[in-house]
Amino acid sequence: MSALKRHNVKTTGADGRQMMFAHGFGCDQTMWRLVAPGFETNFGVVTFDYLGAGGSDKSAYDRDRYASLAGYVSDVVEIGRELDLRDAVFVGHSASAMIGALAAIREPDMFSDLVMVCPSPRYVDGPDTGHRGGFSQGDIDNLIRSLEENPLAWSASMAPAIMGTPKDPMLGAELTESFCRLDPRIARDFARAIFNADNRADLPNVTARTLILQCRQDILAEVSVGEYVRDMVPDSSLVVLDATGHCPHLSAPDQVVAAMRGFL
């Protein structure tokens, strides 16, 4: 099966330069519905679902392949090759921000510009190095254990906190429903791959021109994490959005679009 069919790839917009939008954990391509259309006049827009999400072919899931982010990076590269992407823009949210960085390192001619929305290269604190990821290893172990034991309860408690918009509970409810649609086995594996990853050493190898978008308050990635990524990626800039939570493409889409347009 082609990667385009396997990942439910959709292409819209103008001919010419392409933009690939990649969703984060527990989401699917519909999470870009408030941002991606804003670029269809001048760019070709590519959206897709990782295996286990949305309209992807869940039967193609291979636990060994997706034990680390490398499997997801390979998926992005395969999609890009089938679409013959060159000099494209990659827009990745959360885990996909790092997946996009790794894909741009692997295929620099494929992705020349990178937009990282709420990235974190390492969620676990490193007391020996001074790195602050925001969580202890015990925190991560407990998070994954609670996901394994009761996925529905985990989603109901975590999604609103991750969305971080208590004044707009409908957004938290939407993210909760999205989390609940993900196959629990795939969700567990993806969470392990994300929260145990350490991609700090990869950041200096990113040659793509990079925009980092961070929210002023985010329980998963503080502003200091965005500052760290900016300092480590050679050709990068940071914009701190006047927004809260980990999903500004849903809670503050106009700000995201404006920052991206300024960058591009």
Side-chain angles (χ1 to χ4, degrees), residues 54-135:
S56 65
D57 178 15
K58 300 175 180 62
S59 67
Y61 184 75
D62 182 333
R63 189 175 185 185
D64 290 336
R65 177 182 174 93
Y66 299 105
S68 73
L69 295 184
Y72 296 93
V73 175
S74 294
D75 288 344
V76 166
V77 170
E78 287 179 21
I79 293 169
R81 286 175 178 165
E82 290 192 19
L83 291 174
D84 195 26
L85 296 187
R86 294 289 183 274
D87 189 34
V89 182
F90 185 95
V91 185
H93 169 238
S94 193
S96 278
M98 289 313 307
I99 291 169
L102 296 172
I105 292 170
R106 187 184 299 185
E107 297 286 342
D109 293 335
M110 185 179 291
F111 300 111
S112 59
D113 289 275
L114 177 63
V115 179
M116 307 176 80
V117 183
C118 302
S120 179
R122 175 63 168 165
Y123 285 96
V124 177
D125 294 334
D128 54 330
T129 62
H131 174 73
R132 175 161 177 77
F135 300 87

Side-chain angles (χ1 to χ4, degrees), residues 11-33:
T11 57
T12 58
D15 293 332
R17 196 176 185 205
Q18 303 288 296
M19 294 181 70
M20 177 184 284
F21 289 81
H23 64 82
F25 171 86
C27 302
D28 60 30
Q29 61 183 281
T30 63
M31 295 297 179
W32 290 111
R33 68 187 183 276

Side-chain angles (χ1 to χ4, degrees), residues 5 7 36 38 52 82 119 121 135 143 152 172 185 200 221:
K5 185 174 181 180
H7 294 283
E82 290 192 19
F135 300 87
L143 183 151
L152 295 180
R185 174 185 54 125
R200 290 174 294 174

Side-chain angles (χ1 to χ4, degrees), residues 209-229:
R209 196 172 66 100
T210 301
L211 172 66
I212 301 145
L213 299 180
Q214 215 81 11
C215 294
R216 57 182 168 79
Q217 185 177 351
D218 178 353
I219 67 167
L220 290 183
E222 299 176 354
V223 172
S224 61
V225 176
E227 293 171 340
Y228 175 84
V229 175

